[in-house]
Amino acid sequence: MKLAEVPKHNNQTFRLVQITDSHLFADRSTIFDGLNTFETLKDIIALVGAQQQNIDYILCTGDLTQDSSIEAYHHFIEALSPLDAPQLWIPGNHDIRSQMQQVLDQNSIQLSRSVELGNWRIIMLNSSVEGRVYGLLDQKELADLDLELADSERSNSHVLICVHHNCLPVKAAWLQQHSLKNSDELFAITDKYSHVKGILYGHIHQESEALRNGVKIMATPSTCIQFHPDNDEFTIDNQNPGYRWLDLDPDGTINARVERIEDKSYNIDFDSTGY
Ligand SMILES: [Fe+2]
Ligand SMILES: [Fe+2]
């Protein structure tokens, strides 16, 4: 499928789907904290297929694989193929950008690029630091963001920013140390502009929504295991896998909701001490 070329007109709402933290392995039968991550991703894609029509873009916000193998990226592409919608990818801490680059089908998947969608611009930021769990936006990424925001302001677009790592703090101490290290530098840029409407991420394997300076800041569950939001030691939560859909309205409003698998129970290993 070709990337959508959506004309700029003012009365259209765009439907996006966010898929995040699928943590796939080269060996599809691998069990990860009690779950088969390929199976749970396929369950999520079936749920998306049943709930969504006419998806304008799928936002794949990192940790697509656990082992960053070429095979695992091919499994990811195969799992999402029933949705037949263009995809925007960014790497997470478990991904390797050069490996992702090798599997891209340039007609339907783009990596770390911004796109125009009517009077919206979606900006995909790379916060991954190879070999590290925490996130950081380097100076070039920050400078590019500033340019994108100045440019989109001139063209009267609203902006949604996607990044893998959380830019707002989490309660769980073990997870907080793996956050985006320079959220202050990110906010110093976004605070200059009133057309930034949303910031969206994965990484923390839990749902949250907050409003900061008029910007909707959203975290989305993983398609596999969930992290307990409060416990200071690594703890797996008992919530099922999920995804998020978002509607971008022409007036700059973002309506969004998390959906989870409801009709299936998984053999999650709650005694696991890490991932
Ligand atoms: Fe993750
Ligand atoms: Fe992550």
Side-chain angles (χ1 to χ4, degrees):
M1 119 147 334
K2 285 252 178 209
L3 282 164
E5 284 176 22
V6 181
K8 193 177 180 107
H9 49 90
N10 289 326
N11 56 358
Q12 188 179 349
T13 292
F14 298 100
R15 172 59 59 97
L16 310 178
V17 162
Q18 183 193 9
I19 300 291
T20 199
D21 295 85
S22 46
H23 291 265
L24 299 187
F25 294 83
D27 178 355
R28 295 174 177 200
S29 64
T30 304
I31 299 298
F32 174 69
D33 287 341
L35 289 184
N36 178 313
T37 56
F38 185 67
E39 177 194 332
T40 57
L41 176 60
K42 284 202 304 179
D43 289 346
I44 286 290
I45 298 308
L47 181 65
V48 173
Q51 293 180 331
Q52 310 291 339
Q53 284 104 37
N54 302 321
I55 304 167
D56 290 294
Y57 272 102
I58 306 174
L59 309 171
C60 305
T61 49
D63 286 357
L64 310 188
T65 68
Q66 174 74 6
D67 62 9
S68 57
S69 65
I70 296 285
E71 293 87 347
Y73 291 114
H74 281 301
H75 298 334
F76 184 84
I77 291 170
E78 185 191 318
L80 267 64
S81 61
L83 299 180
D84 195 29
Q87 299 168 28
L88 299 173
W89 288 14
I90 40 176
N93 47 293
H94 285 277
D95 295 305
I96 296 179
R97 199 175 187 282
S98 57
Q99 296 281 88
M100 300 169 100
Q101 203 111 40
Q102 288 186 51
V103 303
L104 294 184
D105 166 0
Q106 298 292 345
N107 283 332
S108 61
I109 305 174
Q110 293 188 6
L111 179 61
S112 304
R113 288 274 308 278
S114 75
V115 294
E116 299 263 356
L117 199 55
N119 65 338
W120 280 86
R121 187 175 300 197
I122 306 169
I123 301 174
M124 308 296 285
L125 294 180
N126 180 8
S127 59
S128 71
V129 183
E130 232 169 272
R132 296 281 181 261
V133 182
Y134 65 76
L136 190 78
L137 294 166
D138 67 23
Q139 291 308 306
K140 181 177 185 315
E141 204 71 5
L142 291 167
D144 285 351
L145 172 65
D146 208 356
L147 288 174
E148 288 269 5
L149 292 180
D151 184 55
S152 49
E153 185 180 50
R154 278 192 294 274
S155 59
N156 290 320
S157 295
H158 311 294
V159 166
L160 172 67
I161 296 170
C162 303
V163 62
H164 177 68
H165 291 83
N166 54 302
C167 55
L168 289 183
V170 290
K171 285 187 191 156
W174 78 270
L175 193 51
Q176 178 55 26
Q177 62 178 327
H178 302 317
S179 301
L180 185 68
K181 291 285 183 208
N182 56 345
S183 302
D184 52 342
E185 288 187 279
L186 169 65
F187 290 139
I189 293 169
T190 58
D191 285 348
K192 295 193 296 179
Y193 301 94
S194 61
H195 66 303
V196 178
K197 304 300 183 189
I199 301 177
L200 180 65
Y201 47 81
H203 186 59
I204 57 173
H205 293 221
Q206 61 192 265
E207 176 183 3
S208 76
E209 282 194 17
L211 204 58
R212 182 193 173 280
N213 277 2
V215 180
K216 195 171 203 168
I217 302 187
M218 297 159 280
T220 298
S222 160
T223 66
C224 60
I225 54 163
Q226 312 303 311
F227 299 150
H228 194 285
D230 301 322
N231 289 4
D232 283 338
E233 303 293 323
F234 176 88
T235 309
I236 295 182
D237 200 11
N238 61 3
Q239 300 241 50
N240 261 357
Y243 77 97
R244 182 184 292 273
W245 59 258
L246 305 96
D247 274 349
L248 307 185
D249 287 345
D251 67 356
T253 305
I254 298 174
N255 292 301
R257 196 167 127 174
V258 164
E259 309 279 358
R260 293 182 191 263
I261 303 280
E262 286 187 347
D263 53 355
K264 187 169 176 179
S265 58
Y266 297 94
N267 193 25
I268 300 168
D269 177 10
F270 291 107
D271 295 329
S272 170
T273 55
Y275 83 112

mmCIF file of all heavy atoms in Angstrom, residues 21-27 36-41 63-69 72-77 79 223:
data_model
loop_
_atom_site.group_PDB
_atom_site.id
_atom_site.type_symbol
_atom_site.label_atom_id
_atom_site.label_comp_id
_atom_site.label_asym_id
_atom_site.label_seq_id
_atom_site.Cartn_x
_atom_site.Cartn_y
_atom_site.Cartn_z
ATOM 1 N N ASP A 21 5.330 -1.476 21.711
ATOM 2 C CA ASP A 21 5.995 -2.414 22.637
ATOM 3 C C ASP A 21 5.545 -3.859 22.445
ATOM 4 O O ASP A 21 5.137 -4.517 23.394
ATOM 5 C CB ASP A 21 5.779 -1.937 24.076
ATOM 6 C CG ASP A 21 6.461 -0.606 24.333
ATOM 7 O OD1 ASP A 21 5.859 0.459 24.044
ATOM 8 O OD2 ASP A 21 7.621 -0.618 24.783
ATOM 9 N N SER A 22 5.682 -4.315 21.211
ATOM 10 C CA SER A 22 5.278 -5.711 20.938
ATOM 11 C C SER A 22 6.373 -6.709 21.316
ATOM 12 O O SER A 22 6.095 -7.895 21.472
ATOM 13 C CB SER A 22 4.872 -5.873 19.478
ATOM 14 O OG SER A 22 5.802 -5.258 18.631
ATOM 15 N N HIS A 23 7.630 -6.268 21.419
ATOM 16 C CA HIS A 23 8.728 -7.116 21.933
ATOM 17 C C HIS A 23 8.775 -8.503 21.264
ATOM 18 O O HIS A 23 8.791 -9.534 21.953
ATOM 19 C CB HIS A 23 8.621 -7.254 23.457
ATOM 20 C CG HIS A 23 8.905 -5.980 24.192
ATOM 21 N ND1 HIS A 23 10.148 -5.662 24.702
ATOM 22 C CD2 HIS A 23 8.118 -4.913 24.482
ATOM 23 C CE1 HIS A 23 10.110 -4.465 25.288
ATOM 24 N NE2 HIS A 23 8.886 -3.988 25.158
ATOM 25 N N LEU A 24 8.831 -8.505 19.941
ATOM 26 C CA LEU A 24 8.879 -9.781 19.218
ATOM 27 C C LEU A 24 10.298 -10.363 19.188
ATOM 28 O O LEU A 24 11.279 -9.629 19.323
ATOM 29 C CB LEU A 24 8.395 -9.584 17.781
ATOM 30 C CG LEU A 24 6.971 -9.087 17.584
ATOM 31 C CD1 LEU A 24 6.610 -9.106 16.097
ATOM 32 C CD2 LEU A 24 5.968 -9.913 18.379
ATOM 33 N N PHE A 25 10.355 -11.670 18.971
ATOM 34 C CA PHE A 25 11.628 -12.397 18.884
ATOM 35 C C PHE A 25 11.761 -13.045 17.494
ATOM 36 O O PHE A 25 10.740 -13.304 16.836
ATOM 37 C CB PHE A 25 11.673 -13.514 19.932
ATOM 38 C CG PHE A 25 11.695 -13.039 21.347
ATOM 39 C CD1 PHE A 25 10.506 -12.692 21.991
ATOM 40 C CD2 PHE A 25 12.890 -12.946 22.054
ATOM 41 C CE1 PHE A 25 10.514 -12.256 23.307
ATOM 42 C CE2 PHE A 25 12.899 -12.510 23.378
ATOM 43 C CZ PHE A 25 11.707 -12.167 24.007
ATOM 44 N N ALA A 26 13.005 -13.349 17.121
ATOM 45 C CA ALA A 26 13.222 -14.076 15.858
ATOM 46 C C ALA A 26 12.466 -15.399 15.883
ATOM 47 O O ALA A 26 11.853 -15.801 14.890
ATOM 48 C CB ALA A 26 14.716 -14.319 15.653
ATOM 49 N N ASP A 27 12.520 -16.088 17.015
ATOM 50 C CA ASP A 27 11.783 -17.337 17.195
ATOM 51 C C ASP A 27 10.385 -17.011 17.721
ATOM 52 O O ASP A 27 10.219 -16.611 18.872
ATOM 53 C CB ASP A 27 12.529 -18.235 18.184
ATOM 54 C CG ASP A 27 11.787 -19.542 18.444
ATOM 55 O OD1 ASP A 27 10.651 -19.706 17.936
ATOM 56 O OD2 ASP A 27 12.359 -20.388 19.160
ATOM 57 N N ASN A 36 3.423 -15.402 24.825
ATOM 58 C CA ASN A 36 3.983 -15.466 23.485
ATOM 59 C C ASN A 36 3.670 -14.124 22.817
ATOM 60 O O ASN A 36 2.517 -13.833 22.491
ATOM 61 C CB ASN A 36 3.360 -16.622 22.704
ATOM 62 C CG ASN A 36 3.883 -16.684 21.284
ATOM 63 O OD1 ASN A 36 3.937 -15.672 20.589
ATOM 64 N ND2 ASN A 36 4.269 -17.862 20.844
ATOM 65 N N THR A 37 4.683 -13.299 22.648
ATOM 66 C CA THR A 37 4.451 -11.913 22.204
ATOM 67 C C THR A 37 3.951 -11.832 20.765
ATOM 68 O O THR A 37 3.270 -10.868 20.401
ATOM 69 C CB THR A 37 5.718 -11.049 22.374
ATOM 70 O OG1 THR A 37 6.799 -11.661 21.658
ATOM 71 C CG2 THR A 37 6.086 -10.917 23.846
ATOM 72 N N PHE A 38 4.308 -12.825 19.961
ATOM 73 C CA PHE A 38 3.779 -12.829 18.585
ATOM 74 C C PHE A 38 2.273 -13.103 18.611
ATOM 75 O O PHE A 38 1.493 -12.476 17.905
ATOM 76 C CB PHE A 38 4.522 -13.877 17.733
ATOM 77 C CG PHE A 38 4.119 -13.860 16.285
ATOM 78 C CD1 PHE A 38 4.418 -12.765 15.473
ATOM 79 C CD2 PHE A 38 3.433 -14.931 15.726
ATOM 80 C CE1 PHE A 38 4.034 -12.753 14.130
ATOM 81 C CE2 PHE A 38 3.044 -14.911 14.388
ATOM 82 C CZ PHE A 38 3.349 -13.821 13.590
ATOM 83 N N GLU A 39 1.876 -14.015 19.491
ATOM 84 C CA GLU A 39 0.447 -14.340 19.617
ATOM 85 C C GLU A 39 -0.348 -13.130 20.133
ATOM 86 O O GLU A 39 -1.418 -12.807 19.597
ATOM 87 C CB GLU A 39 0.274 -15.517 20.584
ATOM 88 C CG GLU A 39 -1.184 -15.894 20.843
ATOM 89 C CD GLU A 39 -1.332 -16.814 22.061
ATOM 90 O OE1 GLU A 39 -0.382 -17.563 22.359
ATOM 91 O OE2 GLU A 39 -2.380 -16.766 22.710
ATOM 92 N N THR A 40 0.176 -12.463 21.157
ATOM 93 C CA THR A 40 -0.594 -11.325 21.702
ATOM 94 C C THR A 40 -0.664 -10.182 20.689
ATOM 95 O O THR A 40 -1.682 -9.494 20.597
ATOM 96 C CB THR A 40 -0.018 -10.819 23.047
ATOM 97 O OG1 THR A 40 1.351 -10.458 22.884
ATOM 98 C CG2 THR A 40 -0.146 -11.871 24.130
ATOM 99 N N LEU A 41 0.413 -9.982 19.901
ATOM 100 C CA LEU A 41 0.344 -8.944 18.860
ATOM 101 C C LEU A 41 -0.727 -9.308 17.831
ATOM 102 O O LEU A 41 -1.531 -8.463 17.425
ATOM 103 C CB LEU A 41 1.714 -8.772 18.173
ATOM 104 C CG LEU A 41 1.725 -7.775 17.010
ATOM 105 C CD1 LEU A 41 1.308 -6.363 17.446
ATOM 106 C CD2 LEU A 41 3.103 -7.720 16.328
ATOM 107 N N ASP A 63 10.121 -0.452 20.595
ATOM 108 C CA ASP A 63 10.199 -1.801 21.173
ATOM 109 C C ASP A 63 9.332 -2.761 20.349
ATOM 110 O O ASP A 63 8.631 -3.609 20.902
ATOM 111 C CB ASP A 63 9.795 -1.826 22.659
ATOM 112 C CG ASP A 63 10.849 -1.238 23.590
ATOM 113 O OD1 ASP A 63 11.937 -0.850 23.095
ATOM 114 O OD2 ASP A 63 10.593 -1.166 24.806
ATOM 115 N N LEU A 64 9.427 -2.603 19.037
ATOM 116 C CA LEU A 64 8.687 -3.516 18.156
ATOM 117 C C LEU A 64 9.232 -4.920 18.344
ATOM 118 O O LEU A 64 8.507 -5.902 18.254
ATOM 119 C CB LEU A 64 8.829 -3.084 16.689
ATOM 120 C CG LEU A 64 8.553 -1.609 16.368
ATOM 121 C CD1 LEU A 64 8.546 -1.388 14.862
ATOM 122 C CD2 LEU A 64 7.245 -1.140 16.980
ATOM 123 N N THR A 65 10.542 -4.999 18.609
ATOM 124 C CA THR A 65 11.163 -6.299 18.867
ATOM 125 C C THR A 65 11.890 -6.260 20.209
ATOM 126 O O THR A 65 12.262 -5.196 20.704
ATOM 127 C CB THR A 65 12.206 -6.656 17.776
ATOM 128 O OG1 THR A 65 13.311 -5.748 17.890
ATOM 129 C CG2 THR A 65 11.605 -6.564 16.386
ATOM 130 N N GLN A 66 12.085 -7.457 20.749
ATOM 131 C CA GLN A 66 12.884 -7.586 21.978
ATOM 132 C C GLN A 66 14.353 -7.823 21.620
ATOM 133 O O GLN A 66 15.236 -7.335 22.300
ATOM 134 C CB GLN A 66 12.354 -8.767 22.804
ATOM 135 C CG GLN A 66 13.162 -9.120 24.028
ATOM 136 C CD GLN A 66 12.985 -8.143 25.175
ATOM 137 O OE1 GLN A 66 12.154 -7.230 25.112
ATOM 138 N NE2 GLN A 66 13.776 -8.310 26.218
ATOM 139 N N ASP A 67 14.585 -8.587 20.518
ATOM 140 C CA ASP A 67 15.957 -8.990 20.189
ATOM 141 C C ASP A 67 16.534 -8.220 19.001
ATOM 142 O O ASP A 67 17.636 -8.515 18.564
ATOM 143 C CB ASP A 67 16.025 -10.511 19.945
ATOM 144 C CG ASP A 67 15.169 -10.952 18.752
ATOM 145 O OD1 ASP A 67 14.659 -10.074 18.014
ATOM 146 O OD2 ASP A 67 15.019 -12.176 18.560
ATOM 147 N N SER A 68 15.788 -7.264 18.465
ATOM 148 C CA SER A 68 16.185 -6.418 17.327
ATOM 149 C C SER A 68 16.686 -7.220 16.117
ATOM 150 O O SER A 68 17.496 -6.719 15.329
ATOM 151 C CB SER A 68 17.209 -5.357 17.744
ATOM 152 O OG SER A 68 18.342 -5.926 18.327
ATOM 153 N N SER A 69 16.199 -8.430 15.962
ATOM 154 C CA SER A 69 16.608 -9.250 14.816
ATOM 155 C C SER A 69 15.791 -8.882 13.579
ATOM 156 O O SER A 69 14.638 -8.464 13.683
ATOM 157 C CB SER A 69 16.418 -10.736 15.131
ATOM 158 O OG SER A 69 15.038 -11.016 15.299
ATOM 159 N N ALA A 72 12.573 -10.806 13.467
ATOM 160 C CA ALA A 72 11.492 -10.290 14.322
ATOM 161 C C ALA A 72 10.785 -9.107 13.654
ATOM 162 O O ALA A 72 9.559 -8.972 13.753
ATOM 163 C CB ALA A 72 12.045 -9.891 15.687
ATOM 164 N N TYR A 73 11.555 -8.238 12.960
ATOM 165 C CA TYR A 73 10.903 -7.123 12.249
ATOM 166 C C TYR A 73 10.018 -7.641 11.122
ATOM 167 O O TYR A 73 8.947 -7.085 10.868
ATOM 168 C CB TYR A 73 11.934 -6.111 11.734
ATOM 169 C CG TYR A 73 12.596 -5.345 12.862
ATOM 170 C CD1 TYR A 73 13.937 -5.493 13.150
ATOM 171 C CD2 TYR A 73 11.832 -4.491 13.662
ATOM 172 C CE1 TYR A 73 14.523 -4.814 14.205
ATOM 173 C CE2 TYR A 73 12.404 -3.812 14.725
ATOM 174 C CZ TYR A 73 13.758 -3.986 14.997
ATOM 175 O OH TYR A 73 14.321 -3.312 16.057
ATOM 176 N N HIS A 74 10.468 -8.705 10.455
ATOM 177 C CA HIS A 74 9.607 -9.298 9.420
ATOM 178 C C HIS A 74 8.329 -9.876 10.049
ATOM 179 O O HIS A 74 7.245 -9.766 9.475
ATOM 180 C CB HIS A 74 10.360 -10.379 8.643
ATOM 181 C CG HIS A 74 11.292 -9.819 7.602
ATOM 182 N ND1 HIS A 74 10.852 -9.025 6.573
ATOM 183 C CD2 HIS A 74 12.640 -9.924 7.456
ATOM 184 C CE1 HIS A 74 11.888 -8.662 5.822
ATOM 185 N NE2 HIS A 74 12.978 -9.186 6.349
ATOM 186 N N HIS A 75 8.452 -10.462 11.234
ATOM 187 C CA HIS A 75 7.252 -10.980 11.913
ATOM 188 C C HIS A 75 6.289 -9.826 12.225
ATOM 189 O O HIS A 75 5.069 -9.972 12.107
ATOM 190 C CB HIS A 75 7.620 -11.683 13.225
ATOM 191 C CG HIS A 75 8.505 -12.876 13.060
ATOM 192 N ND1 HIS A 75 8.538 -13.626 11.900
ATOM 193 C CD2 HIS A 75 9.383 -13.478 13.925
ATOM 194 C CE1 HIS A 75 9.427 -14.612 12.044
ATOM 195 N NE2 HIS A 75 9.940 -14.547 13.253
ATOM 196 N N PHE A 76 6.849 -8.696 12.624
ATOM 197 C CA PHE A 76 6.011 -7.538 12.944
ATOM 198 C C PHE A 76 5.232 -7.092 11.701
ATOM 199 O O PHE A 76 4.016 -6.857 11.766
ATOM 200 C CB PHE A 76 6.891 -6.391 13.479
ATOM 201 C CG PHE A 76 6.114 -5.192 13.933
ATOM 202 C CD1 PHE A 76 5.568 -5.129 15.207
ATOM 203 C CD2 PHE A 76 5.901 -4.117 13.074
ATOM 204 C CE1 PHE A 76 4.820 -4.022 15.628
ATOM 205 C CE2 PHE A 76 5.161 -3.006 13.477
ATOM 206 C CZ PHE A 76 4.619 -2.962 14.759
ATOM 207 N N ILE A 77 5.941 -6.981 10.582
ATOM 208 C CA ILE A 77 5.291 -6.554 9.334
ATOM 209 C C ILE A 77 4.193 -7.545 8.956
ATOM 210 O O ILE A 77 3.082 -7.155 8.575
ATOM 211 C CB ILE A 77 6.342 -6.421 8.203
ATOM 212 C CG1 ILE A 77 7.259 -5.232 8.501
ATOM 213 C CG2 ILE A 77 5.665 -6.267 6.840
ATOM 214 C CD1 ILE A 77 8.478 -5.144 7.597
ATOM 215 N N ALA A 79 2.506 -9.541 10.952
ATOM 216 C CA ALA A 79 1.378 -9.466 11.896
ATOM 217 C C ALA A 79 0.463 -8.289 11.578
ATOM 218 O O ALA A 79 -0.760 -8.378 11.731
ATOM 219 C CB ALA A 79 1.903 -9.354 13.330
ATOM 220 N N THR A 223 1.412 -4.265 23.617
ATOM 221 C CA THR A 223 0.626 -5.388 23.080
ATOM 222 C C THR A 223 0.996 -6.698 23.782
ATOM 223 O O THR A 223 0.444 -7.746 23.447
ATOM 224 C CB THR A 223 0.834 -5.550 21.558
ATOM 225 O OG1 THR A 223 2.192 -5.931 21.314
ATOM 226 C CG2 THR A 223 0.518 -4.264 20.806
#
